[in-house]
Amino acid sequence: MKSLKVSGIGALAVALAFAVAGVSVSKDATAAWEPKKPVEFVIMAGKGGGADKMARLMQSVIEKHKFSSKPMTPINKPGGSGAEALIHLKQASDPDHTIMVTLNSFYTTPLRQEKLKIDPLSYTPIARMALDTFLLWVHKDSGIKNVDEFVKAAKSSGNKWIMAGTGKGQEDQLLTDFLNSAYDLDMKYVPFKGGGRVAKELAGKHANSTVNNPSEQLGFYQAGDTVPIAAFTPDRLPMFKDSPTFKELGKDYVYFMQRSVVGAPGMSKEAAAYYQNVFKQVYDSAEWQKYMKDKSLQGEYITGGDLQAFWKKEFENHRQMLTKMGEM
Amino acid sequence: MEILGHLLDGFAIAFEFQNLLLVIIGVTVGLFVGAMPGLGSVNGVAILLPVTFAVPPTGAIIFLAAIYYGAMYGGAISSIMLGIPGASTAVATTFDGRPLALQGKADHALIAAATASFAGGTISVILFTLFAPPLAAVALAFGSPEIFALMMLAFATFIGLGSDDIPKTIFSICIGLVLSTVGYDVISGEPRLLFLDITGFLHGINFLVLAIGIYGIGEMLWTIETSQGKMTVSQATLSISRFFDGMRKLTGSIKTMLMGSFLGYFVGILPAAGATPGSLMAYGVAKTMAKDPASYGKGNVDGVVAPEAANNAASTGSMLPMITLGIPGSPTTAILLGGMVIWGLEPGPRMFIEQTEFVWGLIGSLYVANLFSVIINLAFIPVFLWVLRLPFTILAPMIFVACVIGGFAPIQDMHDVWLMLIFGVVGYLMRKLDYPMAPAVLAIVLGPLAEPALRQSLLISDGSFAIFFERPISGGIMAVTIFVFVLPIYRAIRTRLRGSSAGGAA
């Protein structure tokens, strides 16, 4: 009897969350609700990775400016390529005090692990903080300066050409698959744990190319070890003005990594409004704006229904990409 | 000479009043964080990272590095006193530290640990000062085949121990390897070996859960059985004369200390390895090189010296790829790296040129942190010894509570606590059957490093094992591995031949 009642409440709460998503939130509502205890701030990735660094930056900005009346306690749940974090939120006993930093495994993990029965669209949209960009990188010593030379070199090496990337079926492999089919290549994809490790594989010449985010390659790039030859963005990035986009080169392909904050499914409307306001302030802070500029991050702050619509579109995109790859 | 000038500048920064204060507070906090089972330097640094916004980046890194350092000293304390590894890096310290404490020589073990930590820390900082850029190039030259070869060497040092039962050692390693494969597989991108589809297995089995289960719970059960609850763990006391006696005895361990320091430093600079494998390998090597390997695990001071020198050396070592390459050498440096990003610094090959104040301030403070760690640690030894004089009926519940906290703290999931209790009971039973448990712990630490490296290498080579022998670095390491592996078999055959010929004569 009791469990029935609880699940009834849960369903109601989910319905409410959907309602929140459709309605734009007024500022007055934020004054009403405040967290009553420390907020669990789940990080859908391991310690030290890109998502983790970003989450800890958000936490310290919140702490420094006292944007939140209760502290946010970060917990890393990298297990199962984010599956553990998604399940943790889905089963959260207190959805009003559970939020999560997420990335594109928000789409790919539920798609690839169907038996988890996770619907990303059931999570409460709080904030899209940034869109991380991708570039195609090679080592300086390869002498490759543009995509034509890259294609020529990769073609002549056949499947001896090593593309290092993060886990299988994740962003880096989607991009590798695109390059393989768009330029008729047969690059070999070798997965490593984390983008930092991938960047090091290229700098140490254990791989021929990578599709790292700028933040992962920045150190080696500034030292002149690695070269970005093209970007997967709609326009050239200010930091890499000499690297053309694939769009310019006649391939209509753009890919971003979301850096977003989501709430547990079933979070109350008032709580969602509170966190949306907190993260809006983080987004507008000088620290976050500087970080976005330094790491070549893109993207406006979006929330509520806009964010939900964005997820819906991206989820569908990933479903198509993964189906084409035979990963589903 | 240029280095000397930089180093003097670094000391000037480290001795600024505020920075000196940060070092002292940092090492003291680190000492206690490290001594708490389950809470290691990773937790200490992660928790205190947001606090560091109040000070400039140089002060912040000095503070966090001091915590990191202090925790390396502190980890040894509960390993020796309670038999529970205080931090993952101190797992190997329990192997001999605990037997020493049970023999009433806890003071010797603690002095040895502190002194070895100091030696490891100091030697590694000197290496860091002199050879940072060329060593960064070595770290970069390590690809998957090299990492796999190094892991094989680590395993060989543990199998190649004439004194233990080799089939039982291999069995123990296999158990550890199987446990290490649970969870998410990065190569196939699929979860695997999820027992009964329990979601807690998705994050894999943290080796601290296994180590605390075996050494904490298992050890406690064992002590209860053997003592019937009527014992005091140890009657160790410390007087001035015993202190100097302990220091004097350490002169025999200088060789082990040097070996542990160099090995630990080298393993530490390799990306992804860090202090835990470094200290386990140092223990294995010390045992292999020893004249009396049979005394290891039964209370040999060298068995404390080797891992403690190595884990401090490795913690300095792992800062090298962090600063020069922007790649963390250990989980703690991964957090430090995150901190540097937040402070607006860009770690990478240009750090040494552009951020001289930061880099040399850090290096200078490492020397200072080392000195204060050893002083504070030695000063606290009488307090630690007092804990050991408590009756076991009081100590046992304390150990149990510490184990539960230690199992829960790393990932904050009750699933791990249950798992730890199960491992405790299994560990106790395996101990009754005389299975060595250290190899299982080694395997669960090294497995997650060795397995992806093996599969990445084979992917690159299209399945050919020749890749491990064709490349100069991995080929060299493999040759040493085979030698270490074959040596005890050769020794065993020789002794058996002699034994049988002697038997024939009689």
Side-chain angles (χ1 to χ4, degrees):
Chain A
M1 200 54 218
K2 197 185 167 198
S3 70
L4 256 178
K5 208 165 153 189
V6 170
S7 68
I9 293 172
L12 192 71
V14 171
L16 263 176
F18 274 108
V20 175
V23 183
S24 83
V25 183
S26 73
K27 285 232 162 179
D28 298 336
T30 59
W33 191 92
E34 284 208 351
K36 285 150 200 77
K37 58 177 197 181
V39 180
E40 200 176 52
F41 193 35
V42 180
I43 303 166
M44 199 171 159
K47 282 181 181 142
D52 182 56
K53 283 180 202 167
M54 220 170 277
R56 285 177 197 277
L57 174 62
M58 291 178 202
Q59 183 213 356
S60 37
V61 172
I62 292 171
E63 208 138 305
K64 189 175 168 189
H65 298 292
K66 310 227 178 318
F67 288 153
S68 169
S69 52
K70 288 280 186 290
M72 308 241 168
T73 24
I75 298 178
N76 295 79
K77 291 204 182 283
S81 196
E84 196 189 2
L86 288 165
I87 293 171
H88 182 78
L89 252 74
K90 193 178 164 189
Q91 297 173 347
S93 55
D94 186 358
D96 279 2
H97 294 87
T98 314
I99 59 175
M100 174 173 80
V101 173
T102 191
L103 38 155
N104 284 9
S105 41
F106 186 62
Y107 322 119
T108 51
T109 298
L111 284 168
R112 299 187 68 235
Q113 302 177 33
E114 278 188 322
K115 65 176 179 184
L116 297 174
K117 293 196 177 53
I118 284 171
D119 176 13
L121 298 174
S122 67
Y123 289 69
T124 310
I126 290 180
R128 190 186 75 188
M129 300 298 288
L131 290 171
D132 209 342
T133 56
F134 291 87
L135 292 105
L136 175 63
W137 300 83
V138 293
H139 197 280
K140 173 197 62 173
D141 293 355
S142 68
I144 295 171
K145 291 197 183 58
N146 54 49
V147 173
D148 285 343
E149 289 173 19
F150 166 79
V151 170
K152 208 173 141 205
K155 219 168 217 161
S156 66
S157 304
N159 83 333
K160 296 276 174 236
W161 188 273
I162 293 159
M163 174 71 95
T166 51
K168 194 159 184 272
Q170 293 186 20
E171 305 78 25
D172 290 10
Q173 199 182 7
L174 295 175
L175 297 175
T176 307
D177 259 52
F178 155 75
L179 290 170
N180 272 338
S181 68
Y183 292 102
D184 191 25
L185 302 173
D186 188 22
M187 296 185 286
K188 185 186 286 180
Y189 185 75
V190 182
F192 291 87
K193 197 177 171 184
R197 176 75 197 281
V198 172
K200 187 224 128 195
E201 292 300 307
L202 181 65
K205 298 189 208 169
H206 305 293
N208 301 103
S209 58
T210 67
V211 285
N212 281 113
N213 299 133
S215 63
E216 295 159 349
Q217 278 287 1
L218 220 47
F220 296 115
Y221 165 71
Q222 286 169 345
D225 291 336
T226 57
V227 189
I229 55 173
F232 295 90
T233 46
D235 301 301
R236 291 195 185 199
L237 292 165
M239 197 186 281
F240 308 101
K241 281 210 178 68
D242 297 333
S243 310
T245 64
F246 280 98
K247 221 170 170 179
E248 282 174 53
L249 300 169
K251 308 281 175 187
D252 191 18
Y253 191 82
V254 167
Y255 191 82
F256 285 113
M257 166 88 101
Q258 73 161 339
R259 305 287 186 184
S260 297
V261 180
V262 309
M267 178 181 275
S268 73
K269 193 174 161 180
E270 294 77 22
Y274 179 83
Y275 296 119
Q276 284 164 355
N277 182 41
V278 167
F279 283 95
K280 177 78 175 89
Q281 292 179 60
V282 175
Y283 185 88
D284 291 336
S285 70
E287 289 91 346
W288 186 257
Q289 287 302 322
K290 180 178 183 303
Y291 184 79
M292 286 189 62
K293 189 163 159 269
D294 288 351
K295 303 293 167 184
S296 208
L297 296 174
Q298 311 272 302
E300 303 284 308
Y301 169 91
I302 59 171
T303 183
D306 292 344
L307 184 51
Q308 189 113 19
F310 171 75
W311 285 347
K312 204 170 170 189
K313 198 175 103 224
E314 285 284 286
F315 191 49
E316 225 17 77
N317 277 345
H318 281 87
R319 187 197 299 280
Q320 281 168 19
M321 279 189 271
L322 287 171
T323 314
K324 221 163 117 191
M325 275 167 69
E327 282 288 336
M328 275 177 66
Chain B
M1 269 310 97
E2 198 196 339
I3 288 177
L4 199 66
H6 281 309
L7 189 59
L8 287 175
D9 290 344
F11 276 126
I13 295 165
F15 277 111
E16 278 169 25
F17 178 71
Q18 183 184 320
N19 291 341
L20 198 62
L21 200 67
L22 285 171
V23 167
I24 296 173
I25 298 172
V27 295
T28 315
V29 170
L31 199 65
F32 284 94
V33 167
M36 279 291 293
L39 281 183
S41 54
V42 186
N43 313 77
V45 170
I47 294 165
L48 291 168
L49 183 61
V51 180
T52 57
F53 282 86
V55 293
T58 310
I61 187 87
I62 286 174
F63 179 62
L64 295 180
I67 295 177
Y68 190 14
Y69 243 74
M72 289 294 153
Y73 279 82
I77 295 165
S78 66
S79 296
I80 293 169
M81 307 300 295
L82 307 176
I84 314 168
S88 59
T89 49
V91 169
T93 313
T94 52
F95 301 162
D96 277 281
R98 177 68 176 162
L100 278 168
L102 292 175
Q103 293 159 21
K105 293 184 200 151
D107 53 334
H108 282 183
L110 287 170
I111 292 167
T115 316
S117 295
F118 180 69
T122 308
I123 291 171
S124 62
V125 182
I126 294 171
L127 288 174
F128 192 121
T129 314
L130 297 177
F131 306 114
L135 282 170
V138 173
L140 215 47
F142 262 67
S144 308
E146 286 77 19
I147 291 175
F148 180 72
L150 190 72
M151 294 302 129
M152 285 301 101
L153 179 59
F155 281 121
T157 59
F158 261 68
I159 301 178
L161 300 170
S163 57
D164 286 331
D165 189 334
I166 290 182
K168 279 184 175 174
T169 306
I170 293 175
F171 178 79
S172 185
I173 286 183
C174 290
I175 295 228
L177 283 180
V178 170
L179 292 177
S180 80
T181 58
V182 171
Y184 176 69
D185 169 30
V186 74
I187 310 280
S188 72
E190 302 286 340
R192 58 181 173 182
L193 299 180
L194 304 185
F195 185 65
L196 293 175
D197 274 339
I198 297 171
T199 50
F201 284 113
L202 274 173
H203 61 241
I205 297 175
N206 188 317
F207 69 94
L208 260 185
V209 170
L210 181 73
I212 295 178
I214 290 173
Y215 292 104
I217 304 286
E219 180 77 28
M220 193 176 67
L221 293 174
W222 178 260
T223 314
I224 291 171
E225 185 193 341
T226 49
S227 72
Q228 310 280 320
K230 276 193 219 97
M231 67 173 284
T232 301
V233 174
S234 165
Q235 288 298 346
T237 50
L238 187 65
S239 61
I240 302 285
S241 67
R242 270 184 80 95
F243 177 79
F244 283 107
D245 187 39
M247 289 301 248
R248 211 174 302 122
K249 280 196 180 141
L250 272 179
T251 48
S253 301
I254 289 175
K255 225 176 77 189
T256 314
M257 229 176 259
L258 289 176
M259 181 280 294
S261 306
F262 283 102
L263 183 73
Y265 182 72
F266 182 68
V267 175
I269 64 171
L270 302 175
T276 309
S279 61
L280 284 162
M281 282 177 79
Y283 183 86
V285 172
K287 190 170 173 182
T288 314
M289 290 191 339
K291 288 191 203 82
D292 50 346
S295 68
Y296 277 76
K298 299 189 182 81
N300 188 325
V301 172
D302 280 0
V304 173
V305 167
E308 279 305 308
N311 68 23
N312 272 61
S315 63
T316 317
S318 62
M319 286 192 206
L320 189 122
M322 170 185 86
I323 290 178
T324 55
L325 305 176
I327 309 285
S330 70
T332 313
T333 44
I335 306 263
L336 287 178
L337 200 62
M340 289 165 75
V341 172
I342 299 173
W343 304 322
L345 296 166
E346 186 56 60
R350 296 185 316 161
M351 225 21 211
F352 265 87
I353 305 156
E354 291 181 0
Q355 300 287 346
T356 45
E357 186 197 313
F358 179 84
V359 172
W360 291 98
L362 170 65
I363 292 175
S365 74
L366 288 177
Y367 285 94
V368 181
N370 237 319
L371 189 66
F372 279 104
S373 294
V374 76
I375 294 170
I376 293 171
N377 197 346
L378 289 175
F380 272 112
I381 286 180
V383 180
F384 302 139
L385 290 176
W386 172 79
V387 174
L388 268 194
R389 288 199 298 274
L390 293 170
F392 193 66
T393 41
I394 293 176
L395 204 52
M398 280 170 56
I399 295 175
F400 185 77
V401 170
C403 286
V404 171
I405 295 172
F408 183 75
I411 312 190
Q412 298 165 28
D413 191 344
M414 272 310 282
H415 166 84
D416 287 347
V417 177
W418 301 122
L419 208 55
M420 179 202 72
L421 293 174
I422 294 169
F423 285 141
V425 175
V426 174
Y428 162 73
L429 294 175
M430 284 183 73
R431 183 164 174 180
K432 291 201 87 161
L433 297 170
D434 206 21
Y435 279 89
M437 293 312 299
V441 175
L442 177 90
I444 203 170
V445 172
L446 301 187
L449 300 173
E451 192 221 332
L454 172 67
R455 292 169 67 192
Q456 281 151 0
S457 307
L458 293 179
L459 260 175
I460 290 169
S461 72
D462 284 322
S464 162
F465 279 90
I467 190 170
F468 299 113
F469 301 95
E470 286 164 359
R471 298 165 59 123
I473 301 176
S474 71
I477 300 173
M478 276 298 190
V480 179
T481 306
I482 292 168
F483 174 74
V484 173
F485 193 78
V486 170
L487 188 69
I489 300 176
Y490 164 74
R491 267 194 202 147
I493 293 171
R494 205 180 55 180
T495 357
R496 190 162 295 179
L497 283 179
R498 270 196 202 147
S500 65
S501 66

